[in-house]
mmCIF file of all heavy atoms in Angstrom:
data_model
loop_
_atom_site.group_PDB
_atom_site.id
_atom_site.type_symbol
_atom_site.label_atom_id
_atom_site.label_comp_id
_atom_site.label_asym_id
_atom_site.label_seq_id
_atom_site.Cartn_x
_atom_site.Cartn_y
_atom_site.Cartn_z
ATOM 1 N N GLU H 1 83.192 124.942 104.872
ATOM 2 C CA GLU H 1 82.776 125.545 103.602
ATOM 3 C C GLU H 1 82.907 124.533 102.479
ATOM 4 O O GLU H 1 83.765 123.653 102.534
ATOM 5 C CB GLU H 1 83.669 126.728 103.244
ATOM 6 C CG GLU H 1 83.622 127.895 104.174
ATOM 7 C CD GLU H 1 84.651 128.953 103.790
ATOM 8 O OE1 GLU H 1 84.977 129.070 102.590
ATOM 9 O OE2 GLU H 1 85.131 129.644 104.696
ATOM 10 N N ALA H 2 82.072 124.686 101.467
ATOM 11 C CA ALA H 2 82.169 123.865 100.265
ATOM 12 C C ALA H 2 81.570 124.631 99.103
ATOM 13 O O ALA H 2 80.656 125.422 99.286
ATOM 14 C CB ALA H 2 81.425 122.549 100.467
ATOM 15 N N ASP H 3 82.117 124.386 97.909
ATOM 16 C CA ASP H 3 81.569 125.070 96.740
ATOM 17 C C ASP H 3 80.607 124.174 95.956
ATOM 18 O O ASP H 3 80.192 124.523 94.860
ATOM 19 C CB ASP H 3 82.686 125.586 95.835
ATOM 20 C CG ASP H 3 83.527 124.482 95.230
ATOM 21 O OD1 ASP H 3 83.301 123.295 95.557
ATOM 22 O OD2 ASP H 3 84.421 124.797 94.430
ATOM 23 N N CYS H 4 80.207 123.054 96.545
ATOM 24 C CA CYS H 4 79.232 122.187 95.891
ATOM 25 C C CYS H 4 77.843 122.828 95.965
ATOM 26 O O CYS H 4 77.587 123.652 96.843
ATOM 27 C CB CYS H 4 79.239 120.794 96.529
ATOM 28 S SG CYS H 4 78.937 120.792 98.292
ATOM 29 N N PRO H 5 76.937 122.456 95.064
ATOM 30 C CA PRO H 5 75.640 123.138 95.009
ATOM 31 C C PRO H 5 74.724 122.888 96.212
ATOM 32 O O PRO H 5 74.017 123.793 96.643
ATOM 33 C CB PRO H 5 74.995 122.610 93.732
ATOM 34 C CG PRO H 5 75.820 121.482 93.258
ATOM 35 C CD PRO H 5 77.123 121.523 93.974
ATOM 36 N N ASP H 6 74.740 121.686 96.785
ATOM 37 C CA ASP H 6 73.770 121.382 97.845
ATOM 38 C C ASP H 6 74.281 121.620 99.265
ATOM 39 O O ASP H 6 73.498 121.708 100.192
ATOM 40 C CB ASP H 6 73.265 119.948 97.713
ATOM 41 C CG ASP H 6 74.394 118.935 97.706
ATOM 42 O OD1 ASP H 6 75.540 119.284 98.041
ATOM 43 O OD2 ASP H 6 74.123 117.764 97.360
ATOM 44 N N LYS H 7 75.574 121.689 99.458
ATOM 45 C CA LYS H 7 76.209 121.950 100.767
ATOM 46 C C LYS H 7 75.819 120.917 101.839
ATOM 47 O O LYS H 7 75.837 121.202 103.029
ATOM 48 C CB LYS H 7 75.862 123.345 101.280
ATOM 49 C CG LYS H 7 76.110 124.463 100.293
ATOM 50 C CD LYS H 7 77.485 125.046 100.466
ATOM 51 C CE LYS H 7 77.663 126.317 99.694
ATOM 52 N NZ LYS H 7 78.081 126.141 98.329
ATOM 53 N N LEU H 8 75.483 119.694 101.418
ATOM 54 C CA LEU H 8 75.131 118.658 102.389
ATOM 55 C C LEU H 8 76.306 118.297 103.288
ATOM 56 O O LEU H 8 76.125 117.971 104.462
ATOM 57 C CB LEU H 8 74.613 117.403 101.680
ATOM 58 C CG LEU H 8 73.248 117.527 101.022
ATOM 59 C CD1 LEU H 8 72.888 116.253 100.273
ATOM 60 C CD2 LEU H 8 72.186 117.858 102.047
ATOM 61 N N CYS H 9 77.516 118.361 102.753
ATOM 62 C CA CYS H 9 78.699 118.031 103.552
ATOM 63 C C CYS H 9 78.868 119.014 104.708
ATOM 64 O O CYS H 9 79.327 118.644 105.789
ATOM 65 C CB CYS H 9 79.943 117.988 102.680
ATOM 66 S SG CYS H 9 80.199 119.467 101.685
ATOM 67 N N VAL H 10 78.493 120.251 104.514
ATOM 68 C CA VAL H 10 78.587 121.262 105.566
ATOM 69 C C VAL H 10 77.545 120.983 106.649
ATOM 70 O O VAL H 10 77.782 121.200 107.833
ATOM 71 C CB VAL H 10 78.399 122.677 104.971
ATOM 72 C CG1 VAL H 10 78.396 123.731 106.057
ATOM 73 C CG2 VAL H 10 79.486 122.971 103.937
ATOM 74 N N LYS H 11 76.398 120.457 106.240
ATOM 75 C CA LYS H 11 75.291 120.209 107.171
ATOM 76 C C LYS H 11 75.433 118.900 107.939
ATOM 77 O O LYS H 11 74.633 118.623 108.823
ATOM 78 C CB LYS H 11 73.972 120.195 106.396
ATOM 79 C CG LYS H 11 73.663 121.515 105.725
ATOM 80 C CD LYS H 11 72.450 121.404 104.836
ATOM 81 C CE LYS H 11 72.268 122.673 104.032
ATOM 82 N NZ LYS H 11 71.184 122.550 103.045
ATOM 83 N N GLN H 12 76.449 118.081 107.623
ATOM 84 C CA GLN H 12 76.602 116.780 108.274
ATOM 85 C C GLN H 12 77.033 116.880 109.731
ATOM 86 O O GLN H 12 76.889 115.927 110.476
ATOM 87 C CB GLN H 12 77.588 115.901 107.496
ATOM 88 C CG GLN H 12 77.032 115.426 106.195
ATOM 89 C CD GLN H 12 78.035 114.610 105.405
ATOM 90 O OE1 GLN H 12 79.057 114.167 105.902
ATOM 91 N NE2 GLN H 12 77.727 114.405 104.149
ATOM 92 N N GLY H 13 77.572 118.002 110.126
ATOM 93 C CA GLY H 13 77.963 118.177 111.523
ATOM 94 C C GLY H 13 79.388 117.730 111.791
ATOM 95 O O GLY H 13 80.204 117.625 110.887
ATOM 96 N N LYS H 14 79.667 117.450 113.063
ATOM 97 C CA LYS H 14 81.018 117.115 113.503
ATOM 98 C C LYS H 14 81.163 115.612 113.699
ATOM 99 O O LYS H 14 80.221 114.942 114.087
ATOM 100 C CB LYS H 14 81.321 117.847 114.807
ATOM 101 C CG LYS H 14 81.274 119.354 114.648
ATOM 102 C CD LYS H 14 81.518 120.062 115.966
ATOM 103 C CE LYS H 14 81.451 121.574 115.769
ATOM 104 N NZ LYS H 14 81.667 122.310 116.991
ATOM 105 N N VAL H 15 82.376 115.118 113.429
ATOM 106 C CA VAL H 15 82.685 113.698 113.625
ATOM 107 C C VAL H 15 83.912 113.563 114.511
ATOM 108 O O VAL H 15 84.807 114.406 114.479
ATOM 109 C CB VAL H 15 82.911 112.962 112.287
ATOM 110 C CG1 VAL H 15 81.648 112.931 111.460
ATOM 111 C CG2 VAL H 15 84.042 113.577 111.485
ATOM 112 N N ARG H 16 83.938 112.478 115.311
ATOM 113 C CA ARG H 16 85.102 112.194 116.145
ATOM 114 C C ARG H 16 85.272 110.713 116.438
ATOM 115 O O ARG H 16 86.306 110.276 116.879
ATOM 116 C CB ARG H 16 85.031 112.977 117.441
ATOM 117 C CG ARG H 16 83.970 112.513 118.405
ATOM 118 C CD ARG H 16 84.108 113.195 119.758
ATOM 119 N NE ARG H 16 83.116 112.707 120.669
ATOM 120 C CZ ARG H 16 81.933 113.259 120.889
ATOM 121 N NH1 ARG H 16 81.606 114.357 120.240
ATOM 122 N NH2 ARG H 16 81.088 112.741 121.732
ATOM 123 N N LYS H 17 84.237 109.916 116.205
ATOM 124 C CA LYS H 17 84.271 108.480 116.498
ATOM 125 C C LYS H 17 84.822 107.713 115.302
ATOM 126 O O LYS H 17 84.572 108.059 114.145
ATOM 127 C CB LYS H 17 82.870 107.960 116.812
ATOM 128 C CG LYS H 17 82.183 108.649 117.969
ATOM 129 C CD LYS H 17 82.653 108.114 119.262
ATOM 130 C CE LYS H 17 81.844 108.727 120.411
ATOM 131 N NZ LYS H 17 82.355 108.371 121.685
ATOM 132 N N VAL H 18 85.573 106.638 115.583
ATOM 133 C CA VAL H 18 86.141 105.806 114.531
ATOM 134 C C VAL H 18 85.014 105.290 113.633
ATOM 135 O O VAL H 18 83.993 104.818 114.121
ATOM 136 C CB VAL H 18 86.922 104.619 115.139
ATOM 137 C CG1 VAL H 18 87.362 103.650 114.061
ATOM 138 C CG2 VAL H 18 88.133 105.118 115.921
ATOM 139 N N GLY H 19 85.197 105.433 112.335
ATOM 140 C CA GLY H 19 84.210 104.972 111.366
ATOM 141 C C GLY H 19 83.269 106.057 110.880
ATOM 142 O O GLY H 19 82.628 105.893 109.845
ATOM 143 N N GLN H 20 83.168 107.166 111.596
ATOM 144 C CA GLN H 20 82.317 108.257 111.124
ATOM 145 C C GLN H 20 82.993 108.949 109.948
ATOM 146 O O GLN H 20 84.219 108.947 109.836
ATOM 147 C CB GLN H 20 82.072 109.277 112.235
ATOM 148 C CG GLN H 20 81.172 108.783 113.346
ATOM 149 C CD GLN H 20 80.929 109.869 114.387
ATOM 150 O OE1 GLN H 20 81.850 110.573 114.786
ATOM 151 N NE2 GLN H 20 79.691 109.979 114.830
ATOM 152 N N SER H 21 82.184 109.533 109.075
ATOM 153 C CA SER H 21 82.768 110.198 107.909
ATOM 154 C C SER H 21 81.939 111.398 107.483
ATOM 155 O O SER H 21 80.771 111.522 107.819
ATOM 156 C CB SER H 21 82.898 109.207 106.747
ATOM 157 O OG SER H 21 81.645 108.680 106.411
ATOM 158 N N LEU H 22 82.606 112.264 106.754
ATOM 159 C CA LEU H 22 81.986 113.419 106.108
ATOM 160 C C LEU H 22 82.165 113.202 104.611
ATOM 161 O O LEU H 22 83.270 112.921 104.154
ATOM 162 C CB LEU H 22 82.686 114.708 106.535
ATOM 163 C CG LEU H 22 82.718 114.992 108.029
ATOM 164 C CD1 LEU H 22 83.717 116.104 108.337
ATOM 165 C CD2 LEU H 22 81.336 115.366 108.518
ATOM 166 N N ILE H 23 81.096 113.347 103.856
ATOM 167 C CA ILE H 23 81.162 113.015 102.436
ATOM 168 C C ILE H 23 80.599 114.160 101.599
ATOM 169 O O ILE H 23 79.521 114.669 101.870
ATOM 170 C CB ILE H 23 80.366 111.732 102.142
ATOM 171 C CG1 ILE H 23 80.955 110.573 102.953
ATOM 172 C CG2 ILE H 23 80.355 111.415 100.656
ATOM 173 C CD1 ILE H 23 80.124 109.328 102.948
ATOM 174 N N CYS H 24 81.355 114.542 100.577
ATOM 175 C CA CYS H 24 80.904 115.519 99.592
ATOM 176 C C CYS H 24 80.927 114.820 98.231
ATOM 177 O O CYS H 24 81.988 114.691 97.616
ATOM 178 C CB CYS H 24 81.810 116.745 99.585
ATOM 179 S SG CYS H 24 81.275 118.002 98.406
ATOM 180 N N LEU H 25 79.780 114.346 97.796
ATOM 181 C CA LEU H 25 79.713 113.597 96.537
ATOM 182 C C LEU H 25 80.086 114.426 95.312
ATOM 183 O O LEU H 25 80.837 113.955 94.468
ATOM 184 C CB LEU H 25 78.333 112.972 96.354
ATOM 185 C CG LEU H 25 78.034 111.773 97.250
ATOM 186 C CD1 LEU H 25 76.608 111.283 97.011
ATOM 187 C CD2 LEU H 25 79.014 110.658 97.013
ATOM 188 N N PRO H 26 79.591 115.670 95.170
ATOM 189 C CA PRO H 26 79.955 116.427 93.967
ATOM 190 C C PRO H 26 81.470 116.634 93.826
ATOM 191 O O PRO H 26 81.999 116.596 92.722
ATOM 192 C CB PRO H 26 79.240 117.761 94.154
ATOM 193 C CG PRO H 26 78.114 117.477 95.082
ATOM 194 C CD PRO H 26 78.610 116.401 95.989
ATOM 195 N N ASN H 27 82.164 116.821 94.944
ATOM 196 C CA ASN H 27 83.613 117.049 94.891
ATOM 197 C C ASN H 27 84.415 115.768 95.092
ATOM 198 O O ASN H 27 85.641 115.808 95.109
ATOM 199 C CB ASN H 27 84.023 118.090 95.927
ATOM 200 C CG ASN H 27 83.465 119.456 95.614
ATOM 201 O OD1 ASN H 27 83.057 119.731 94.487
ATOM 202 N ND2 ASN H 27 83.439 120.334 96.598
ATOM 203 N N LYS H 28 83.723 114.637 95.282
ATOM 204 C CA LYS H 28 84.352 113.325 95.474
ATOM 205 C C LYS H 28 85.309 113.318 96.659
ATOM 206 O O LYS H 28 86.401 112.764 96.602
ATOM 207 C CB LYS H 28 85.036 112.873 94.191
ATOM 208 C CG LYS H 28 84.069 112.707 93.042
ATOM 209 C CD LYS H 28 84.740 112.234 91.785
ATOM 210 C CE LYS H 28 83.707 112.125 90.682
ATOM 211 N NZ LYS H 28 84.298 111.750 89.420
ATOM 212 N N VAL H 29 84.889 113.940 97.759
ATOM 213 C CA VAL H 29 85.706 114.045 98.973
ATOM 214 C C VAL H 29 85.082 113.192 100.072
ATOM 215 O O VAL H 29 83.877 113.259 100.308
ATOM 216 C CB VAL H 29 85.802 115.517 99.443
ATOM 217 C CG1 VAL H 29 86.476 115.612 100.809
ATOM 218 C CG2 VAL H 29 86.544 116.348 98.421
ATOM 219 N N VAL H 30 85.920 112.388 100.735
ATOM 220 C CA VAL H 30 85.503 111.611 101.902
ATOM 221 C C VAL H 30 86.520 111.864 103.003
ATOM 222 O O VAL H 30 87.717 111.657 102.810
ATOM 223 C CB VAL H 30 85.424 110.101 101.597
ATOM 224 C CG1 VAL H 30 85.069 109.315 102.857
ATOM 225 C CG2 VAL H 30 84.423 109.822 100.495
ATOM 226 N N VAL H 31 86.040 112.310 104.151
ATOM 227 C CA VAL H 31 86.877 112.513 105.328
ATOM 228 C C VAL H 31 86.424 111.474 106.337
ATOM 229 O O VAL H 31 85.285 111.508 106.798
ATOM 230 C CB VAL H 31 86.718 113.939 105.902
ATOM 231 C CG1 VAL H 31 87.552 114.114 107.142
ATOM 232 C CG2 VAL H 31 87.073 114.983 104.850
ATOM 233 N N GLU H 32 87.315 110.533 106.691
ATOM 234 C CA GLU H 32 86.949 109.430 107.576
ATOM 235 C C GLU H 32 87.801 109.448 108.835
ATOM 236 O O GLU H 32 89.010 109.643 108.775
ATOM 237 C CB GLU H 32 87.125 108.095 106.861
ATOM 238 C CG GLU H 32 86.712 106.910 107.707
ATOM 239 C CD GLU H 32 86.882 105.585 106.984
ATOM 240 O OE1 GLU H 32 87.489 105.557 105.902
ATOM 241 O OE2 GLU H 32 86.417 104.572 107.529
ATOM 242 N N VAL H 33 87.152 109.225 109.984
ATOM 243 C CA VAL H 33 87.852 109.158 111.265
ATOM 244 C C VAL H 33 88.427 107.757 111.424
ATOM 245 O O VAL H 33 87.731 106.759 111.252
ATOM 246 C CB VAL H 33 86.904 109.483 112.439
ATOM 247 C CG1 VAL H 33 87.647 109.394 113.757
ATOM 248 C CG2 VAL H 33 86.282 110.857 112.265
ATOM 249 N N VAL H 34 89.729 107.697 111.733
ATOM 250 C CA VAL H 34 90.420 106.419 111.918
ATOM 251 C C VAL H 34 91.208 106.456 113.224
ATOM 252 O O VAL H 34 91.479 107.523 113.775
ATOM 253 C CB VAL H 34 91.361 106.106 110.732
ATOM 254 C CG1 VAL H 34 90.574 105.887 109.453
ATOM 255 C CG2 VAL H 34 92.388 107.191 110.529
ATOM 256 N N SER H 35 91.604 105.282 113.693
ATOM 257 C CA SER H 35 92.355 105.226 114.942
ATOM 258 C C SER H 35 93.857 105.268 114.711
ATOM 259 O O SER H 35 94.603 105.754 115.540
ATOM 260 C CB SER H 35 91.986 103.973 115.740
ATOM 261 O OG SER H 35 92.285 102.812 114.991
ATOM 262 N N LYS H 36 94.304 104.740 113.564
ATOM 263 C CA LYS H 36 95.740 104.695 113.269
ATOM 264 C C LYS H 36 96.036 105.481 112.006
ATOM 265 O O LYS H 36 95.240 105.506 111.076
ATOM 266 C CB LYS H 36 96.207 103.250 113.070
ATOM 267 C CG LYS H 36 96.095 102.404 114.304
ATOM 268 C CD LYS H 36 96.581 101.011 114.026
ATOM 269 C CE LYS H 36 96.421 100.141 115.257
ATOM 270 N NZ LYS H 36 96.842 98.773 115.009
ATOM 271 N N LYS H 37 97.207 106.065 111.978
ATOM 272 C CA LYS H 37 97.632 106.836 110.809
ATOM 273 C C LYS H 37 98.069 105.885 109.707
ATOM 274 O O LYS H 37 98.835 104.964 109.944
ATOM 275 C CB LYS H 37 98.788 107.757 111.203
ATOM 276 C CG LYS H 37 99.205 108.717 110.136
ATOM 277 C CD LYS H 37 100.254 109.670 110.672
ATOM 278 C CE LYS H 37 100.627 110.699 109.641
ATOM 279 N NZ LYS H 37 101.594 111.662 110.152
ATOM 280 N N SER H 38 97.570 106.114 108.510
ATOM 281 C CA SER H 38 97.962 105.317 107.358
ATOM 282 C C SER H 38 98.731 106.206 106.404
ATOM 283 O O SER H 38 98.226 107.214 105.937
ATOM 284 C CB SER H 38 96.734 104.744 106.656
ATOM 285 O OG SER H 38 97.112 104.141 105.451
ATOM 286 N N ASP H 39 99.972 105.820 106.132
ATOM 287 C CA ASP H 39 100.784 106.583 105.188
ATOM 288 C C ASP H 39 100.691 106.016 103.782
ATOM 289 O O ASP H 39 101.286 106.545 102.862
ATOM 290 C CB ASP H 39 102.244 106.609 105.632
ATOM 291 C CG ASP H 39 102.435 107.434 106.897
ATOM 292 O OD1 ASP H 39 101.717 108.434 107.059
ATOM 293 O OD2 ASP H 39 103.296 107.071 107.713
ATOM 294 N N ASP H 40 99.953 104.909 103.624
ATOM 295 C CA ASP H 40 99.824 104.275 102.333
ATOM 296 C C ASP H 40 98.838 105.036 101.475
ATOM 297 O O ASP H 40 97.635 104.858 101.603
ATOM 298 C CB ASP H 40 99.393 102.821 102.505
ATOM 299 C CG ASP H 40 99.318 102.074 101.191
ATOM 300 O OD1 ASP H 40 99.819 102.610 100.171
ATOM 301 O OD2 ASP H 40 98.784 100.956 101.179
ATOM 302 N N LYS H 41 99.318 105.896 100.621
ATOM 303 C CA LYS H 41 98.447 106.719 99.791
ATOM 304 C C LYS H 41 97.891 105.961 98.598
ATOM 305 O O LYS H 41 97.106 106.479 97.842
ATOM 306 C CB LYS H 41 99.183 107.971 99.325
ATOM 307 C CG LYS H 41 99.545 108.837 100.520
ATOM 308 C CD LYS H 41 100.032 110.180 100.105
ATOM 309 C CE LYS H 41 100.523 110.916 101.313
ATOM 310 N NZ LYS H 41 99.786 112.052 101.677
ATOM 311 N N SER H 42 98.302 104.694 98.451
ATOM 312 C CA SER H 42 97.766 103.894 97.348
ATOM 313 C C SER H 42 96.848 102.796 97.869
ATOM 314 O O SER H 42 96.546 101.851 97.149
ATOM 315 C CB SER H 42 98.923 103.270 96.565
ATOM 316 O OG SER H 42 99.623 102.351 97.391
ATOM 317 N N ALA H 43 96.428 102.900 99.117
ATOM 318 C CA ALA H 43 95.571 101.865 99.702
ATOM 319 C C ALA H 43 94.266 101.744 98.917
ATOM 320 O O ALA H 43 93.696 102.716 98.485
ATOM 321 C CB ALA H 43 95.262 102.201 101.163
ATOM 322 N N VAL H 44 93.829 100.501 98.751
ATOM 323 C CA VAL H 44 92.613 100.233 98.004
ATOM 324 C C VAL H 44 91.524 99.830 98.980
ATOM 325 O O VAL H 44 91.706 98.946 99.799
ATOM 326 C CB VAL H 44 92.854 99.104 96.971
ATOM 327 C CG1 VAL H 44 91.572 98.751 96.253
ATOM 328 C CG2 VAL H 44 93.932 99.506 95.988
ATOM 329 N N ASP H 45 90.364 100.463 98.875
ATOM 330 C CA ASP H 45 89.213 100.116 99.715
ATOM 331 C C ASP H 45 88.494 98.901 99.154
ATOM 332 O O ASP H 45 88.138 97.987 99.866
ATOM 333 C CB ASP H 45 88.230 101.268 99.781
ATOM 334 C CG ASP H 45 88.585 102.260 100.866
ATOM 335 O OD1 ASP H 45 89.290 101.892 101.801
ATOM 336 O OD2 ASP H 45 88.133 103.395 100.743
ATOM 337 N N ALA H 46 88.215 98.926 97.850
ATOM 338 C CA ALA H 46 87.444 97.848 97.226
ATOM 339 C C ALA H 46 87.722 97.829 95.749
ATOM 340 O O ALA H 46 88.216 98.792 95.182
ATOM 341 C CB ALA H 46 85.955 98.075 97.474
#
């Protein structure tokens, strides 16, 4: 479920492979599949 207007994140389907992601741009949410757990909540991507 999502409360964003276009619901594209809901339509993206299921992910399980490393590097796959689910993205909701209006809510600024990114769910990314990784192999190792990262506890660093201040990690910088770029």
Side-chain angles (χ1 to χ4, degrees):
E1 296 174 30
D3 64 356
C4 56
D6 56 13
K7 309 268 191 273
L8 290 176
C9 53
V10 176
K11 298 173 188 174
Q12 289 177 14
K14 298 178 180 180
V15 295
R16 70 171 182 266
K17 302 279 186 187
V18 173
Q20 289 182 317
S21 59
L22 302 166
I23 300 169
C24 181
L25 287 178
N27 294 342
K28 298 181 181 177
V29 172
V30 177
V31 178
E32 182 180 10
V33 179
V34 294
S35 60
K36 295 180 182 178
K37 187 174 183 178
S38 172
D39 291 326
D40 183 12
K41 296 191 187 246
S42 65
V44 176
D45 274 338

